[in-house]
Amino acid sequence: MRAASVSDYRELARRRLPKIFFEYIDGGSYAEETLRRNVADLEAIALRQRVMRDMSELDMSIETLGQKMSMPVGLAPVGMAGMYGRRGEAQAARAAAAAGVPFTLSTVGVCSVEEVAQTGAPPWFQLYMLKDRGYMRELLGRAKDLGCPVLVFTVDLPIPGARYRDVRSGFTGSTPLQAAMTQAWDGITHPGWTWDVFVRGRPHTLGSVAGALQGGRRVTDFLAWLARNFDRSVTWKELDWVRETWDRPIVIKGVLDAEDAREAVKAGADGLVVSNHGGRQLDGVRSSITALPRIVDAVGGDLEVYMDGGVRSGLDVLKALALGAKACFVGRAWAYALGAGGEPAIAKMLATLRAELAVAMILTGCRSAREAGPTLLDGTDRP
C-alpha cells in the first residue's frame, strides 16, 4: 500500500505496530466522543472556493515567537514515540528540521532532550509538571542549556484520562504475567517492529525523566510512576516558578475555555494551544476547532494562538487559520507516519500537508498564510 494521506499512514501503522502501541496512540478517553468530534467538526467546515485570481505567488511561511516556519504546521508532543520507530523522537526532529517546521519533544519521549538536541535542531520542549520540583527545575535547566527555544507547558493533565482501549489491548491493567505474554505475542506477530524498535531501538525508557526513577526497566514502569506523580495542585502561579529557570517564550497547551485563555494572558504566557489533548482526557468536551473562534475573540491580540486536535490534512490547516489560529500542531499524523515508515514517511507526510495546503490556498484565493481569515470560509459553516 502506498500512502497518499494521513489516513493511509494510519492504516500502515496499524499493520506494522504491536496492537498495544497502535491502540495507545490511536485511542481517546472513555467513549471517545471528543476524539471523533475533533475530526468531524473540522470536516463539517466548508471552504469558500474562489476562481480567476492571480495565484502565481504563494507564501505559506509564518514567524512566531521568534521562530520562522516554512508553513503554519508543527509537530506536537507525542509520548513514547520511540516505541513507534527506532529512536522515534530523533527521527521526527530531523524530518521537521528538513521541512522547516518545529518539533516539540514530549516530557515522556523515549529519547531524551539531549539526544534530540544532538540532531542539530533543538526542539520546542513540552513540560508536564510533576511533584518533584527539584527534578523539574533540573529538567528545565537542561532544556534551556541545550538551546530549546520554546517551552510548551501542558496543563490539561493533572490526572490521566481513562483510556479504555489501553485496558482492552492489555497495555494497562494487566498482571505482570499477562503483560509479558501480550508483549511476547506482539513481538512474534510483528517481526519488523521487533527487530527495528524492540531490539535495535533500546533503551526503552523515558529519556528525559529517566534519572527521576530508580530501577525502572520498561516504558510501562515509567508510565505507572508518572501517573502517580502528576501534580493536581498546579495553578497559574506556577508560571512564576517556571520563569525562575526559564527566560524564553512559554506556550500554555490544553486551553479549551475563553476564561482560561484570559487567565493565560494575565499569567504572562506568550502563546497557547487550543487543545483537548487529542480527545484523550475529558471526554464529552467540545472539539478544538469549535473552541478556537471564541478563544481568538477573547485573547487573540494578546498572545499567539495555536490549535491541535483532529488535523488530518492541509485543508484542515487552512480552516484553522481562517478561524484565527497562527499555526496548527499535528500529533497523531506524524506518529502514524513514524509507525508506518520512520523519518522518510514523516518527511513525505509533511510534504503532503504542504501540497494540500497549497491547493486549498490557491482555490480559496489566499496568497499568504499570514492573511488567512474568515472570508475563506462559507459563512454558513462557521462553528
Side-chain angles (χ1 to χ4, degrees):
M1 175 180 177
R2 298 179 61 184
S5 68
V6 169
S7 295
D8 293 340
Y9 287 114
R10 177 185 180 276
E11 174 58 21
L12 288 172
R14 186 190 68 79
R15 296 178 188 180
R16 180 176 180 271
L17 296 177
K19 184 176 181 180
I20 59 172
F21 292 119
F22 176 77
E23 295 291 350
Y24 178 80
I25 191 61
D26 193 59
S29 63
Y30 299 95
E32 302 186 348
E33 289 294 335
T34 298
L35 174 65
R36 288 188 288 271
R37 286 175 189 170
N38 277 345
V39 176
D41 289 349
L42 268 166
E43 290 176 342
I45 298 172
L47 292 166
R48 182 185 179 200
Q49 180 171 301
R50 304 300 303 275
V51 297
M52 299 297 286
R53 292 173 173 245
D54 181 0
M55 298 301 297
S56 55
E57 295 186 5
L58 203 62
D59 185 2
M60 299 185 195
S61 67
I62 65 166
E63 293 188 20
T64 183
L65 302 180
Q67 307 290 297
K68 293 183 178 180
M69 300 168 58
S70 68
M71 62 176 170
V73 174
L75 302 192
V78 171
M80 299 197 308
M83 301 308 294
Y84 311 131
R86 174 165 37 100
R87 314 312 293 168
E89 292 87 0
Q91 292 196 60
R94 288 191 293 266
V101 300
F103 167 74
T104 312
L105 175 65
S106 171
T107 295
V108 294
V110 169
C111 295
S112 69
V113 63
E114 287 83 4
E115 182 176 348
V116 174
Q118 287 174 3
T119 64
W124 291 24
F125 186 69
Q126 179 265 337
L127 178 73
Y128 286 125
M129 186 60 70
L130 305 180
K131 293 176 182 178
D132 187 342
R133 291 294 195 274
Y135 194 82
M136 289 293 95
R137 191 182 299 277
E138 176 189 330
L139 182 57
L140 284 170
R142 287 161 53 195
K144 177 182 174 181
D145 291 344
L146 289 164
C148 295
V150 176
L151 183 71
V152 180
F153 186 3
T154 297
V155 296
D156 61 352
L157 212 157
I159 185 173
R163 300 167 189 172
Y164 295 154
R165 279 210 223 181
D166 293 344
V167 177
R168 296 180 186 120
S169 72
F171 188 57
T172 61
S174 300
T175 66
L177 177 60
Q178 289 171 330
M181 292 176 65
T182 297
Q183 188 177 69
W185 177 250
D186 271 339
I188 292 169
T189 54
H190 297 84
W193 175 90
T194 298
W195 172 246
D196 181 48
V197 179
F198 188 75
V199 176
R200 301 174 66 203
R202 294 175 180 273
H204 297 147
T205 62
L206 302 183
S208 293
V209 296
L213 174 61
Q214 301 299 321
R217 296 183 179 181
R218 301 175 302 170
V219 167
T220 49
D221 296 332
F222 284 83
L223 291 179
W225 175 81
L226 281 168
R228 297 191 300 269
N229 281 276
F230 285 121
D231 192 345
R232 287 185 264 176
S233 71
V234 174
T235 69
W236 292 107
K237 293 181 180 179
E238 221 67 39
L239 262 69
D240 294 332
W241 182 88
V242 170
R243 284 197 189 87
E244 292 176 6
T245 302
W246 189 270
D247 59 359
R248 295 167 189 166
I250 298 175
V251 173
I252 303 298
K253 181 178 183 296
V255 176
L256 209 61
D257 186 89
E259 268 310 305
D260 287 336
R262 294 186 187 99
E263 291 292 336
V265 173
K266 292 177 184 177
D270 301 283
L272 63 83
V273 183
V274 179
S275 173
N276 50 43
H277 215 98
R280 294 166 65 81
Q281 281 298 96
L282 180 60
D283 197 27
V285 297
R286 65 172 53 245
S287 63
S288 296
I289 193 65
T290 59
L292 176 63
R294 64 187 67 190
I295 289 177
V296 170
D297 290 344
V299 303
D302 299 315
L303 42 60
E304 300 281 54
V305 178
Y306 314 107
M307 192 204 85
D308 72 20
V311 178
R312 298 291 185 268
S313 70
L315 281 68
D316 291 339
V317 172
L318 188 61
K319 292 173 184 180
L321 298 185
L323 290 172
K326 186 66 175 281
C328 289
F329 283 80
V330 296
R332 286 185 177 89
W334 77 260
Y336 292 146
L338 173 64
E343 182 180 338
I346 298 174
K348 184 179 177 184
M349 182 276 296
L350 286 169
T352 297
L353 291 183
R354 186 187 303 277
E356 292 169 341
L357 178 59
V359 170
M361 291 175 65
I362 291 169
L363 291 177
T364 58
C366 178
R367 295 184 181 89
S368 170
R370 297 185 296 276
E371 298 173 1
T375 58
L376 300 180
L377 304 179
D378 184 316
T380 62
D381 291 292
R382 179 181 170 114

